[in-house]
């Protein structure tokens, strides 16, 4: 543990580096960004002239923002209102010059108290806490979000997809090439590395899986990706929408989470056992068991909007049941086949009921909490499902312990409310406020039509 003096010296050095980089790039504005309970990315910017002092003290923010919902309403019954202040305290390691916004840079922030300690309603600090919990058990959590999103234009008040190209077709790649190439360059410039790219099944749908990273970096990368996709698309007169179901009855936008646990030295993938079934270790199976046990509650965080439940339907490859299986793309957890030559490194699990309207700090932290609970309690995931679980009879699913996932946000929130492990992991303040904010979203869309739901999600995510 570094002494406080050394820590503050290190922070000073980092702050001076950021100020130097801003000067060299003629940056005017530095955005201090965060993602709140509603999953919307927000922030405040300061002028670079005043940057040194804001790096030191953070930028002030009303506590009320953690009682805001995605309809941009301050929730009346929320815990936070007009009185009270926190600080957006930047993490210097997240500094990036934004390739899509002129003379602008950004920093990702923790929400801290006025004294500078983590605020107990801060999502990013929650993920750090879960990373710390894993570390005490000797684990490092590695993950990547595999984003799908929709490129579209707004014409006469309607969202019109960029194209109707066939799945994985080069027709789709070509029609999106100008915007996608610029997006990829912009991500690389910010230290986020897309590993593959393809035009997906849905209208105007793109998929851009990025390289895995340790959990905090992975969640930060998710903010970078959402911001960059939207920012670059706008320069081309397009919208990049991460709404879970941008067009009803068409393929939804998933943000499947690929993840693995590693030994603290980073050398050994704990999920990997060459002698295990599907190359998975006992710890890997127990992790699956934990995720499945908590899944109805977990989806309240990984598929956290009203629109998310329009996506989680059978036969859309988004998963709709608590089933798992090797390379089963209708399973909530897919065990991807390992890659020849890099068997250990490529051993991972994929969570399908996860979409890009989530707050990545909350969803990754909760996924880790569920999996660690599985390891601690040696939870049995049951038998793998080798077919589409929707093709099994109700009796057969019951026999195998396969449950339908919640079919609405309200149902998922009920499950979260009942889940002591996830609620305790979030901590009382964050759990209560998250539930309150999300319940208000359920009410906000109650009685409204599909068009309103889609409009609200289309441009905010
Ligand atoms: N678009 C599907 C989803 O909503 C995923 C398709 C796939 O990549 O398997 O999750
Ligand atoms: Mg896909």
């Amino acid at each position: 543990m570094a002494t406080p003096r050394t820590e503050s010296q290190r922070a000073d050095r980092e702050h001076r580096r950021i100020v130097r980089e801003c000067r060299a790039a003629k940056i005017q504005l530095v955005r201090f960004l965060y993602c709140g309970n509603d999953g919307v990315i927000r922030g405040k910017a300061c002028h670079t002239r005043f940057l040194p002092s804001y790096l030191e003290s953070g930028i002030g923010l009303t506590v009320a923002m953690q009682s805001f919902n995605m309809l941009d309403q301050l929730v009346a019954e929320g815990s936070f209102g007009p009185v009270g202040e926190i600080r957006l305290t930047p993490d210097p390691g997240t500094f990036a010059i934004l390739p899509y916004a002129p003379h602008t840079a950004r920093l990702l922030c923790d929400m801290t108290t006025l004294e500078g300690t983590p605020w107990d309603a801060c999502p990013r600090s929650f993920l750090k806490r879960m990373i710390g919990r894993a570390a005490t058990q000797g684990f490092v959590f590695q993950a990547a979000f595999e984003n799908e999103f929709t490129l579209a234009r707004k014409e006469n008040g309607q969202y019109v997809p960029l194209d109707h190209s066939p799945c994985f077709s080069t027709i789709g790649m070509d029609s999106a090439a100008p915007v996608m190439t610029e997006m990829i360059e912009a991500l690389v410039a910010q230290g986020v590395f897309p590993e593959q790219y393809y035009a997906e099944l849905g209208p105007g749908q793109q998929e851009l899986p990025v390289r895995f990273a340790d959990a905090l970096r992975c969640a930060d990368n998710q903010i970078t990706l959402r911001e960059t996709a939207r920012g670059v698309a706008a320069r081309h007169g397009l919208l990049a929408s991460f709404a879970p179901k941008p067009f009803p009855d068409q393929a939804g936008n998933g943000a499947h989470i690929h993840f693995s646990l590693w030994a603290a030295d980073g050398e050994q993938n704990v999920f990997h056992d060459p002698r295990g079934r599907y190359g998975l270790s006992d710890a890997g199976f127990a992790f699956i068991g934990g995720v499945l046990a908590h899944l109805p509650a977990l989806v309240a965080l990984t598929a956290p909007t009203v629109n998310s439940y329009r996506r989680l339907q059978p036969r859309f490859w988004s998963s709709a049941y608590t089933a798992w299986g090797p390379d089963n793309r209708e399973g909530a957890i897919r065990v991807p086949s390992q890659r020849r030559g890099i068997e250990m490194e490529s051993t991972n699990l994929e969570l399908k009921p996860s979409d890009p309207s989530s707050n990545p700090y909350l969803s990754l932290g909760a996924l880790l909490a569920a999996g660690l609970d599985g390891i601690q309690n040696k939870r049995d995931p049951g038998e793998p499902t080798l077919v589409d679980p929707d093709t099994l009879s109700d009796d057969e699913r019951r026999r195998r312990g396969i449950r339908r996932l919640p079919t609405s946000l309200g149902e998922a929130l009920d499950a979260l409310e009942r889940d002591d492990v996830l609620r305790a992991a979030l901590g009382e303040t964050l759990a209560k406020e998250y539930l309150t904010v999300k319940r208000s979203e359920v009410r906000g869309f109650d009685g409204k039509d599909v068009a309103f739901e889609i409009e609200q999600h289309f441009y905010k995510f």
Side-chain angles (χ1 to χ4, degrees):
M1 187 72 188
T3 65
R5 187 171 154 69
T6 318
E7 258 175 46
S8 81
Q9 279 174 342
R10 194 181 303 132
D12 282 351
R13 208 169 41 234
E14 285 286 275
H15 293 169
R16 281 198 301 275
R17 171 184 66 85
I18 290 170
V19 171
R20 262 196 322 273
E21 283 187 41
C22 283
R23 201 168 296 142
K26 298 195 165 43
I27 297 298
Q28 293 286 320
L29 287 174
V30 182
R31 298 178 185 172
F32 283 41
L33 301 183
Y34 70 94
C35 186
N37 279 332
D38 60 358
V40 176
I41 302 167
R42 306 174 194 257
K44 288 183 171 181
C46 73
H47 193 270
T48 36
R49 175 186 285 268
F50 306 104
L51 181 62
S53 72
Y54 283 119
L55 285 172
E56 178 74 33
S57 69
I59 291 187
L61 185 76
T62 161
V63 288
M65 295 316 292
Q66 272 297 61
S67 294
F68 246 63
N69 66 21
M70 61 80 67
L71 289 163
D72 223 29
Q73 299 157 335
L74 174 59
V75 181
E77 61 281 15
S79 308
F80 308 117
V83 183
E85 183 88 349
I86 53 160
R87 298 281 181 253
L88 292 175
T89 299
D91 179 338
T94 65
F95 176 76
I97 292 170
L98 299 179
Y100 52 87
H103 302 294
T104 304
R106 74 95 212 264
L107 286 152
L108 303 180
C109 299
D110 293 323
M111 297 171 171
T112 60
T113 63
L114 300 185
E115 290 74 41
T117 56
W119 188 36
D120 40 8
C122 169
R124 196 167 184 268
S125 305
F126 159 66
L127 176 57
K128 287 186 187 172
R129 253 188 359 259
M130 291 306 107
I131 291 169
R133 181 184 283 188
T136 60
Q137 296 171 36
F139 301 131
V140 173
F141 194 44
Q142 301 273 352
F145 285 92
E146 189 179 76
N147 283 280
E148 295 167 333
F149 59 93
T150 303
L151 290 176
R153 286 192 179 83
K154 197 160 192 186
E155 287 173 11
N156 306 321
Q158 300 280 3
Y159 292 115
V160 181
L162 176 70
D163 61 14
H164 289 276
S165 58
C167 184
F168 302 156
S169 72
T170 47
I171 302 170
M173 288 191 188
D174 286 344
S175 84
V179 59
M180 291 309 300
T181 314
E182 193 177 315
M183 203 180 283
I184 289 163
E185 270 174 16
L187 285 166
V188 171
Q190 295 170 84
V192 177
F193 299 100
E195 196 165 325
Q196 294 185 17
Y197 160 66
Y198 29 93
E200 253 279 11
L201 175 65
Q205 196 179 36
Q206 316 294 319
E207 179 157 340
L208 204 53
V210 301
R211 185 70 178 164
F212 68 85
D214 68 82
L216 186 63
R217 179 78 197 193
C218 164
D220 287 343
N221 287 351
Q222 178 66 356
I223 303 290
T224 306
L225 189 134
R226 278 173 56 188
E227 288 288 283
T228 304
R230 198 187 38 229
V232 172
R235 288 163 63 97
H236 292 256
L238 295 168
L239 270 110
S241 175
F242 289 82
K245 196 75 164 177
F247 303 108
D249 309 326
Q250 303 285 336
N253 286 322
H256 308 161
I257 307 175
H258 286 263
F259 57 93
S260 48
L261 272 188
W262 290 68
D265 61 7
E267 296 293 320
Q268 186 57 39
N269 183 340
V270 174
F271 282 178
H272 180 68
D273 179 353
R275 290 175 312 275
R277 199 177 187 187
Y278 313 127
L280 273 188
S281 66
D282 289 349
F285 284 109
F287 201 107
I288 299 177
V291 174
L292 294 182
H294 296 287
L295 195 53
L298 180 62
V299 292
L301 297 136
T302 60
T305 53
V306 168
N307 190 237
S308 296
Y309 294 83
R310 206 172 285 287
R311 167 177 169 258
L312 292 182
Q313 293 175 39
R315 316 279 174 120
F316 278 94
W317 295 30
S318 59
S319 84
Y321 297 95
T322 63
W324 72 276
D327 279 333
N328 187 340
R329 285 190 156 81
E330 282 286 355
I333 294 184
R334 172 169 81 106
V335 183
S337 36
Q338 296 161 358
R339 288 169 59 193
R340 221 167 339 118
I342 50 167
E343 285 79 1
M344 199 263 291
E345 183 188 291
S346 64
T347 301
N348 73 94
L349 300 171
E350 177 184 35
L351 181 76
K352 303 261 300 182
S354 161
D355 71 57
S357 66
S358 73
N359 175 317
Y361 304 105
L362 295 179
S363 68
L364 271 190
L367 172 61
L368 181 52
L372 290 177
D373 175 67
I375 290 180
Q376 197 177 358
N377 294 296
K378 298 193 168 51
R379 291 197 194 273
D380 177 4
E383 280 305 295
T385 300
L386 305 176
V387 296
D388 177 348
D390 196 55
T391 62
L392 302 172
S393 67
D394 288 347
D395 278 350
E396 183 59 16
R397 279 196 295 267
R398 208 168 302 123
R399 202 187 61 73
R400 296 182 186 210
I402 298 174
R403 294 168 288 164
R404 178 73 171 90
L405 292 177
T407 57
S408 68
L409 178 58
E411 247 183 73
L413 295 171
D414 290 345
L416 180 58
E417 198 140 15
R418 285 192 303 267
D419 193 306
D420 295 339
V421 170
L422 291 190
R423 268 207 351 265
L426 287 163
E428 206 180 318
T429 308
L430 185 56
K432 175 167 179 282
E433 215 47 30
Y434 185 78
L435 285 162
T436 303
V437 164
K438 288 288 159 183
R439 294 256 189 232
S440 80
E441 291 180 10
V442 172
R443 279 198 310 280
F445 287 100
D446 195 29
K448 299 287 198 314
D449 62 9
V450 186
F452 176 76
E453 175 193 311
I454 289 181
E455 161 70 20
Q456 289 299 316
H457 290 82
F458 206 102
Y459 78 96
K460 288 180 187 160
F461 297 107

